[in-house]
């Protein structure tokens, strides 16, 4: 579980690095979630899946409304790297979390690999 509880009215710098494996037909999807009504969010992401062209990079100003899907043509997965700044508002639920799942239901395993991490500090 890549998550942590956020305090009200607190600023955070968050770094998330995830390596994953998935069956080619299952693929991978992820989303960030956190307390409602933050006063500011900025996130920079880089992600890629095996066989996909090329790594995706983007800047976001809110928690994503929909999950981001990574289609893979191989079975060696891919990676996600996020740098996030959150100025949390008065809400403390739900926890800040990196959530993941298979993009397409499949009997193959979708695994976030050991060594993936989420780290944060208050500013």
């Amino acid at each position: 579980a890549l998550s942590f509880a956020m305090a009200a009215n607190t600023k955070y710098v968050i770094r998330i690095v995830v390596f994953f494996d998935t069956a080619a037909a299952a693929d991978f999807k992820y989303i960030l979630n956190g307390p409602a009504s933050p006063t500011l969010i900025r996130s920079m992401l880089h992600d890629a899946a095996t066989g996909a062209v090329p790594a995706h990079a983007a800047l976001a100003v809110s928690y994503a409304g929909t999950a981001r899907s990574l289609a893979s043509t191989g079975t060696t997965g891919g990676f996600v790297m996020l740098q996030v700044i959150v100025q949390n508002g008065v809400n403390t639920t739900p926890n800040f979390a990196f959530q993941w799942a298979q993009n397409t239901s499949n009997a193959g395993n979708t695994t976030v690999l050991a060594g993936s991490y989420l780290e944060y500090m208050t500013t």
Side-chain angles (χ1 to χ4, degrees):
L2 298 175
S3 65
F4 68 97
M6 289 183 136
N9 302 310
T10 303
K11 297 175 185 175
Y12 292 90
V13 175
I14 306 158
R15 182 179 4 208
I16 303 167
V17 177
V18 171
F19 292 92
F20 63 88
D21 281 342
T22 185
D27 299 325
F28 186 82
K29 67 180 175 182
Y30 68 92
I31 193 167
L32 292 179
N33 193 20
S37 303
T39 59
L40 178 107
I41 296 176
R42 294 294 183 272
S43 64
M44 174 183 64
L45 74 91
H46 298 276
D47 61 28
T50 304
V53 280
H56 175 77
L59 173 68
V61 296
S62 66
Y63 297 125
T66 58
R68 173 147 166 75
S69 299
L70 296 175
S72 175
T73 59
T75 57
T76 54
F79 72 91
V80 177
M81 295 188 313
L82 293 134
Q83 292 279 110
V84 186
I85 297 171
V86 177
Q87 293 180 6
N88 197 29
V90 298
N91 298 305
T92 58
T93 58
N95 286 345
F96 180 90
F98 177 87
Q99 300 171 321
W100 70 90
Q102 288 184 339
N103 190 50
T104 304
S105 183
N106 182 281
N109 292 331
T110 296
T111 306
V112 168
L113 301 176
S116 298
Y117 63 90
L118 179 155
E119 59 186 3
Y120 68 93
M121 67 179 191
T122 59
T123 61

